[in-house]
Amino acid sequence: MLPAVFSDVFRTGRSIDAGSDYRVIVEKPTKSVFMAARAFSLIELVIVIAILAVITAIAVPRFTAAADRAAFRAQHAAFRQIEVALELYYQDNGEWPPNTPILVTPPGLVPYLHGDIFAVKTPIGSNWDWNGPGSSVDEHGYNIAIKGTVLTNDEWLEFDAMFDDGSLSTGLYRKDGQWLVRPVYAPSD
């Protein structure tokens, strides 16, 4: 413990005579000394903001592109899930489910799917359509289709290039007017 003389020095910050042999001088620093050490200059703030703006300009498009690719993967997986469900339905029943209007799940297909997938929007925000027996769409056979107006033609080409042959006129995915079509079965006449 400090003698009373020293504790008074630390408490008050005044210099006192502690005896004839020595003298203790204690000065309290002023607040402005501490504030000057903690403050940033305007130039430093502008530089930091500029750096953050550059990082944001680089990062945001990459995150957006990653989100688009994720939506494309989810869309492809949903197409594949419906295709597998249709094939299982065919194996169990010996026939394909009948044609249905947009947003209507083919009768008997729900047990093969995880829920009523046709009643909800696709991962990219479009509507499902099954063109089965009784459909007027014959060019691609029985097919799963989505309305293709939610993406530009370049985006559809990017989608096709990710999962197919890069051409919207051949392969797994085909563009037919405003529809993206995935053929499931081509009936022979």
Side-chain angles (χ1 to χ4, degrees), residues 149-167:
T149 56
V150 294
L151 298 178
T152 66
N153 200 49
D154 288 341
E155 290 170 323
W156 281 122
L157 284 169
E158 181 183 348
F159 175 83
D160 193 76
M162 284 179 72
F163 304 108
D164 197 15
D165 59 359
S167 170

Side-chain angles (χ1 to χ4, degrees), residues 14-122:
R14 289 181 272 134
S15 63
I16 58 169
D17 188 359
S20 61
D21 295 339
Y22 57 92
R23 185 175 187 111
V24 175
I25 300 173
V26 177
E27 294 181 17
K28 280 186 175 179
T30 62
K31 285 187 177 182
S32 63
V33 172
F34 287 117
M35 292 178 87
R38 284 190 266 160
F40 294 106
S41 72
L42 183 59
I43 296 293
E44 291 170 326
L45 290 174
V46 168
I47 290 172
V48 168
I49 291 170
I51 291 170
L52 290 174
V54 168
I55 291 171
T56 303
I58 292 170
V60 168
R62 289 184 185 213
F63 289 130
T64 304
D68 288 346
R69 286 190 305 272
F72 287 171
R73 285 187 185 96
Q75 183 65 57
H76 174 71
F79 265 118
R80 185 67 186 128
Q81 176 188 3
I82 294 171
E83 182 181 24
V84 168
L86 288 164
E87 290 170 353
L88 290 172
Y89 178 95
Y90 179 80
Q91 288 177 0
D92 291 348
N93 298 292
E95 63 183 5
W96 296 96
N99 184 50
T100 57
I102 297 171
L103 295 174
V104 176
T105 302
L109 195 63
V110 172
Y112 298 93
L113 296 167
H114 297 290
D116 192 4
I117 195 169
F118 278 75
V120 297
K121 294 280 187 187
T122 69

